Amino acid sequence: MPHPLYQPLTGGAGLLTLSDGRFKTARLSVALLLPLDKDAASAYAILPYLLRRSCEAYPGFTVLKRRLNELYGARIVAEVTRLGECQALVLHAVSIDDRFALHGETVASACAELLGSMLFRPVLENGAFPAKDVEQEKRCLIERIQSEINEKRLYARRRCESLLCEGEPYAVDRHGTIEGVSALTPASVTEAWKRALSTAQVRLIAQGADIPKDIGDAFRAGLASLPDRNPCRYTPQIVRRASTVREAVERMDVGQAKLVLGLRAGAAEPDEGVPAMRLMNALLGGTPHSLLFRNVREKLSLCYYCQSSYDRLKGVMLIDSGVEEKNAERAKEEILRQLDAVRAGGFTDEDLESARLSVVNQFRTVGDLQSTAGSWYLGQSFQEIPSTPEEAAKAVEAVTKEQVAAAAQGVSLGAAYLLAGKEAQ
Amino acid sequence: MAAWEEILQKHTGERCWRLRHPSGLTILVDPKPGYQSSYAVFATRYGSIDTAFRKDGGEEETVVPAGIAHYLEHKLFESEDGDAFARYAKTGASANAFTSFDRTAYLFSCTDRLAESLEILLDFVQHPYFTEETVRKEQGIIGQEIRMCEDSPGRRVLFNLLKALYQNHPVRIDIAGTVESIAEITPELLYGCYHTFYNLNNMVLAVSGNVMPEDVLAVADRMLKPSDGRRVERAVADEPAEAAEPRVESRMPVASPLFYLGFKDHLPDGRCRTAEELAAADVLLEILAGQASPLYARLMEQGLINASFGAEYFEGPGYAAWLIGGESADPDAVAEAVHAEIERLRREGISAADFETARNALYGRLVASLNDVENCGDILVSDFFYDREPFALIDAAAALSPDAVTRMLRENLQRSQAALSVVSPAE
């Protein structure tokens, strides 16, 4: 994977380029990073979806989509994600590389131009987003929030995070709330757009075989033209130790119960303990050979999945499992027993080395897809110098057995959430 | 000696290699220079639709419990001395497997020690080991997997649709089976299925990414045990053109109704569509229900669909359907609008500009899909199982004629072939 080239654009904005001839597509992403805030989240969340609808030259969704189809199915993708305690509003433009156009058209730079135009010069009526568009995107966003309940595993994980981090920005849903979205008006959304542009940290990530030198120009000019741009600082609230264990049981008409444990990891960026925690997570529950998979699923046959995941930006670990309700308590005990074993160094060198290989393998694969490489560097937005996946792999290679045990000792249980069927079994 | 055949993808320069190994196995290799990772998939033409088999070419048909192909996939990971995941753990490869309607696939990706991981893959898939005890133990895990799937509204709405579309074809049976059906599975049945369908002549190995054909051949020569020349003939289901029932509905805890409107594609001879036909089927769907279509704009404006709306052509041997689905407060109104739009297109025809933009979109999507090492391996497997040349769809899309799309529209998407599946919020 080529080394990224980073250049600051103006205050609080930066462009990262990844030149890479292997790919058949060009990809340009622009991300506005804003502090997660329960009062602002809904208005910010609607913006990417509203902005990707149209732009000056193609003032309606259908004409714009038609233009993108002409450009060999180029895609403008809107996304709202969470990075630590930031709400990231992201637009990606993805198109085939000009080399593959059937009639020699210029595709990639046409898409970059569309993206710049969408962000800075959307279609406005009397200085505000068109009421019809706002209403349509409000409905879609509300339905998106409502449908979070459909995917029970994700829903349960989300509920456990909220339980663990109650009152912290991390608990705010990246899409806002149904009430918040319902209350939006063309004026309040337009106001949010202006506020986002003037206060967000802005990251541009350009990927492709032949990235034009002037790829950041439109964005530089757009940002420079804002009268009072004053990018905010990012200050996440890191809780290193849980003071209590919050418990909740929710009942729904489901056949399989979901048990999710929320833990404070004790290490978050930019702590030195992050690589050890990454390795600890893989050893405990990050692979199909992990202690949790082998013991809770294979040995005890308690569940179909039992996995752990680690958010290094917030210092939170989740362990989730699909179990029969009558086995949930046993599964929880076994999960905590496995965690205790790691704390006491009760794992073999072989276990540790296979976890390490798996993490390193995963990092080395990051560069093989534009989407994963893009996400990787977006996740590095708060580091002064972004680290490459190779550097992260090296850091994990250097972690010792003692450091892994120490990382596990720093982990504390803060929440236990169970989604279970309506009839107690 | 077997020789590699080079296959060049005209428009993208993608180059892959094909070999019929003396053991009977077809091997496909797609080297992707500069990539760190490699991906290997070893697959058999055996999925949930294979519900019966004949032992040793005999006349007597053994009918097997639903979900057995998937069960076999789980059990194959075990051997007398431990499971395959433990062996992969030593090489750092990330391994998995899946069972679909028409295939079972074992796969891994890695950035190092490809030959060792490939050896593990070829070894464990060729060495079944089942006992009463290990087979019984798996019932708990798979039972949980089945419950998890039953809780997924997205899966329910699709499987209900297939039941409504198909009268006889086994694609209407759930891949994982039921808690009851998997309770009937025995080691003898597993061995019977294994020896019938895991014949190398019925299988394919595809490797893509950081790999050269000779790397794969060296491991294959060492590891592959020649299979007898027996080919497995898939039973062709007697499936009429018409849908079994026009509408099915069930209730689950969902926020708003989920739906799939499906149009059965009539393939009576058990075959798959050719690359050209498939390109036409995809372009037709883009024109009818893509995001640039008038139908999409209208339904969005009327508040009948949201961002979850989408359309795809779903296919396998002897079954295929155009699927249009998403969430809607009124799925029946969406279905009516789709039927009306099909009638309009039939009446007014497809304009040259509409054809051109939809064709470009398909071509661009296919070119972009080659970025992904794993996707390339999966495409090679599908193209092989569906009797298409590797990556043939890209050339077919580039060379597609408007007539092929018009013909596809004229001959298909009839009301009698349609079914609507709805999952509504529980009361």
Side-chain angles (χ1 to χ4, degrees):
Chain A
M1 181 176 173
H3 221 75
L5 205 70
Y6 182 75
Q7 62 185 106
L9 289 181
T10 56
L15 164 67
L16 195 117
T17 45
L18 287 162
S19 288
D20 198 330
R22 289 176 301 167
F23 298 117
K24 293 181 168 58
T25 49
R27 192 172 194 264
L28 178 66
S29 308
V30 56
L32 306 184
L33 309 177
L34 294 146
L36 261 172
D37 173 79
K38 69 175 176 14
D39 298 323
S42 304
Y44 285 153
I46 203 172
L47 290 176
Y49 303 109
L50 202 51
L51 293 171
R52 60 103 213 224
R53 288 185 66 93
S54 60
C55 62
E56 259 177 343
Y58 300 94
F61 186 73
T62 304
V63 282
L64 175 66
K65 279 305 293 184
R66 222 182 144 78
R67 172 64 181 145
L68 291 169
N69 273 358
E70 273 169 22
L71 292 169
Y72 298 96
R75 294 182 305 139
I76 303 283
V77 182
E79 194 186 9
V80 181
T81 62
R82 184 184 63 186
L83 286 179
E85 292 195 326
C86 255
Q87 191 181 13
L89 318 181
V90 196
L91 289 173
H92 310 276
V94 189
S95 66
I96 60 167
D97 195 90
D98 295 349
R99 288 174 287 169
F100 305 111
L102 291 171
H103 310 294
E105 301 95 322
T106 312
V107 182
S109 53
C111 290
E113 208 176 301
L114 285 175
L115 194 65
S117 162
M118 284 173 184
L119 184 62
F120 293 109
R121 296 182 303 281
V123 175
L124 300 179
E125 285 171 10
N126 305 319
F129 286 102
K132 216 171 93 184
D133 292 358
V134 172
E135 281 313 307
Q136 203 175 99
E137 291 305 331
K138 274 172 66 176
R139 175 179 66 79
C140 287
L141 185 54
I142 288 170
E143 289 175 7
R144 194 182 285 266
I145 297 169
Q146 286 169 335
S147 69
E148 279 175 8
I149 200 171
N150 295 359
E151 293 307 321
K152 303 297 179 287
R153 182 173 178 182
L154 296 179
Y155 173 80
R157 288 175 59 90
R158 184 75 204 111
R159 296 290 298 198
C160 182
E161 283 173 357
S162 306
L163 187 65
L164 177 71
C165 302
E166 209 181 315
E168 297 164 43
Y170 197 71
V172 174
D173 193 293
R174 68 188 199 283
H175 286 127
T177 61
I178 291 171
E179 299 71 35
V181 177
S182 305
L184 296 176
T185 64
S188 67
V189 172
T190 311
E191 171 58 32
W193 168 62
K194 290 179 179 161
R195 197 169 60 241
L197 282 181
S198 65
T199 63
Q201 299 266 351
V202 180
R203 290 290 173 276
L204 272 174
I205 299 174
Q207 299 167 274
D210 196 10
I211 302 168
K213 284 213 163 45
D214 58 358
I215 189 105
D217 284 6
F219 296 89
R220 185 183 287 124
L223 291 171
S225 72
L226 300 168
D228 47 2
R229 185 162 153 74
N230 182 19
C232 53
R233 291 182 62 83
Y234 173 63
T235 47
Q237 193 179 334
I238 309 291
V239 179
R240 283 172 209 284
R241 195 134 207 111
S243 51
T244 165
V245 182
R246 298 183 183 131
E247 297 195 2
V249 178
E250 189 173 351
R251 298 214 168 263
M252 209 182 271
D253 184 14
V254 293
Q256 184 191 61
K258 310 281 178 202
L259 169 71
V260 192
L261 303 182
L263 306 105
R264 301 289 185 176
E269 291 289 2
D271 295 353
E272 278 181 359
V274 167
M277 189 57 211
R278 274 179 153 155
L279 182 53
M280 201 295 277
N281 174 60
L283 171 74
L284 179 67
T287 75
H289 186 61
S290 68
L291 298 173
L292 293 181
F293 189 91
R294 262 159 44 204
N295 288 291
V296 188
R297 168 177 147 140
E298 296 289 314
K299 204 162 133 199
L300 301 174
S301 296
L302 287 176
C303 61
Y304 174 63
Y305 66 86
C306 186
Q307 282 177 1
S308 65
S309 57
Y310 168 51
D311 182 345
R312 70 191 165 86
L313 294 176
K314 172 69 178 170
V316 158
M317 186 177 197
L318 293 186
I319 298 175
D320 72 329
S321 172
V323 295
E324 272 185 73
E325 187 182 352
K326 66 170 196 272
N327 290 331
E329 197 51 42
R330 249 182 93 203
K332 183 179 160 190
E333 278 165 22
E334 184 60 24
I335 289 166
L336 295 175
R337 222 171 59 80
Q338 293 300 326
L339 177 62
D340 275 338
V342 180
R343 285 174 176 144
F347 50 90
T348 64
D349 289 347
E350 213 180 332
D351 288 340
L352 183 66
E353 291 321 308
S354 66
R356 198 192 308 272
L357 269 178
S358 162
V359 176
V360 167
N361 185 46
Q362 215 178 315
F363 287 161
R364 293 214 172 111
T365 318
V366 165
D368 277 358
L369 273 182
Q370 287 179 323
S371 54
T372 51
S375 302
W376 176 273
Y377 285 108
L378 192 58
Q380 310 284 322
S381 293
F382 310 116
Q383 274 155 247
E384 264 186 50
I385 305 162
S387 61
T388 63
E390 289 79 8
E391 286 161 351
K394 278 208 184 86
V396 168
E397 273 167 351
V399 171
T400 65
K401 186 173 180 179
E402 291 69 34
Q403 287 170 325
V404 168
Q409 286 154 23
V411 170
S412 53
L413 181 68
Y417 168 85
L418 184 72
L419 175 67
K422 276 201 171 137
E423 298 293 318
Q425 289 169 351
Chain B
M1 207 175 118
W4 289 99
E5 178 191 354
E6 183 186 15
I7 300 154
L8 177 69
Q9 211 294 308
K10 193 169 82 192
H11 288 89
T12 59
E14 194 88 1
R15 217 173 273 276
C16 75
W17 302 84
R18 177 166 57 196
L19 175 85
R20 184 73 196 266
H21 191 263
S23 61
L25 182 69
T26 295
I27 304 177
L28 293 151
V29 180
D30 179 17
K32 297 179 79 69
Y35 278 78
Q36 290 281 314
S37 57
S38 324
Y39 172 74
V41 51
F42 190 19
T44 169
R45 203 190 299 258
Y46 172 50
S48 63
I49 61 169
D50 299 292
T51 51
F53 67 90
R54 289 193 169 92
K55 260 186 203 155
D56 307 319
E59 285 299 302
E60 196 194 339
E61 200 170 65
T62 309
V63 177
V64 292
I68 193 164
H70 172 250
Y71 209 94
L72 181 53
E73 172 225 305
H74 271 241
K75 290 322 295 172
L76 216 46
F77 275 89
E78 265 172 41
S79 69
E80 244 171 318
D81 41 324
D83 75 304
F85 283 125
R87 296 173 67 190
Y88 279 126
K90 295 195 180 80
T91 68
S94 161
N96 211 337
F98 68 85
T99 306
S100 65
F101 295 107
D102 63 5
R103 77 189 72 165
T104 312
Y106 301 83
L107 49 97
F108 70 82
S109 71
C110 65
T111 54
D112 199 11
R113 299 161 74 176
L114 170 67
E116 281 170 76
S117 296
L118 202 51
E119 203 165 288
I120 297 169
L121 176 68
L122 297 186
D123 183 44
F124 86 83
V125 175
Q126 289 186 99
H127 289 98
Y129 171 73
F130 321 120
T131 66
E132 289 286 348
E133 196 200 336
T134 62
V135 170
R136 204 176 326 108
K137 204 197 82 182
E138 201 71 15
Q139 282 178 3
I141 294 170
I142 297 186
Q144 278 307 311
E145 186 178 359
I146 290 172
R147 288 216 174 77
M148 184 175 84
C149 292
E150 283 170 355
D151 283 341
S152 162
R155 191 176 161 109
R156 174 91 60 96
V157 73
L158 175 65
F159 281 75
N160 282 356
L161 175 77
L162 294 174
K163 277 201 192 81
L165 282 178
Y166 288 89
Q167 311 191 18
N168 304 316
H169 196 287
V171 71
R172 64 197 306 283
I173 302 166
D174 195 310
I175 294 168
T178 62
V179 173
E180 293 74 34
S181 75
I182 62 167
E184 296 166 25
I185 292 172
T186 61
E188 293 69 39
L189 280 172
L190 288 176
Y191 278 117
C193 291
Y194 179 85
H195 291 300
T196 306
F197 295 105
Y198 283 66
N199 179 309
L200 292 178
N201 294 288
N202 198 42
M203 299 178 76
V204 65
L205 170 68
V207 190
S208 52
N210 184 9
V211 60
M212 293 305 288
E214 52 271 26
D215 305 338
V216 180
L217 186 57
V219 181
D221 282 345
R222 202 163 61 239
M223 300 299 298
L224 294 175
K225 302 183 292 186
S227 284
D228 57 46
R230 184 164 46 123
R231 283 204 83 115
V232 189
E233 293 299 324
R234 229 175 205 150
V236 176
D238 176 23
E239 181 63 42
E242 292 74 32
E245 43 185 330
R247 191 181 190 285
V248 279
E249 182 167 359
S250 62
R251 293 188 180 274
M252 286 182 84
V254 291
S256 67
L258 266 70
F259 74 95
Y260 258 126
L261 173 64
F263 292 89
K264 190 154 90 174
D265 191 0
H266 190 44
L267 298 161
D269 45 6
R271 72 173 183 109
C272 291
R273 290 284 186 185
T274 64
E276 194 207 9
E277 290 170 337
L278 180 58
D282 280 337
V283 165
L284 177 56
L285 213 45
E286 179 67 40
I287 293 168
L288 171 67
Q291 292 194 353
S293 67
L295 175 72
Y296 184 91
R298 209 158 50 236
L299 291 173
M300 201 53 129
E301 210 157 281
Q302 292 167 349
L304 285 172
I305 58 170
N306 60 30
S308 65
F309 185 78
E312 64 172 308
Y313 184 78
F314 162 87
E315 64 161 348
Y319 62 87
W322 285 267
L323 306 182
I324 297 171
E327 295 166 19
S328 174
D330 190 350
D332 294 272
V334 176
E336 268 318 302
V338 173
H339 287 300
E341 182 66 5
I342 291 166
E343 277 156 34
R344 186 191 69 82
L345 282 173
R346 268 201 252 277
R347 214 167 45 237
E348 297 175 12
I350 294 165
S351 77
D354 283 353
F355 165 76
E356 191 78 15
T357 50
R359 196 275 316 266
N360 273 9
L362 173 64
Y363 169 79
R365 271 205 302 275
L366 294 170
V367 170
S369 72
L370 297 181
N371 276 343
D372 185 337
V373 169
E374 300 188 5
N375 201 29
C376 287
D378 292 338
I379 293 172
L380 288 175
V381 171
S382 285
D383 284 343
F384 173 74
F385 281 157
Y386 297 168
D387 295 323
R388 297 193 278 256
E389 280 295 292
F391 305 115
L393 193 53
I394 300 180
D395 286 341
L400 190 67
S401 75
D403 292 348
V405 181
T406 304
R407 202 162 49 239
M408 196 56 85
L409 172 64
R410 204 173 48 228
E411 292 166 3
N412 296 284
L413 302 175
Q414 308 293 342
R415 263 180 197 266
S416 62
Q417 297 171 314
L420 176 67
S421 164
V422 179
V423 168
S424 340
E427 274 162 24

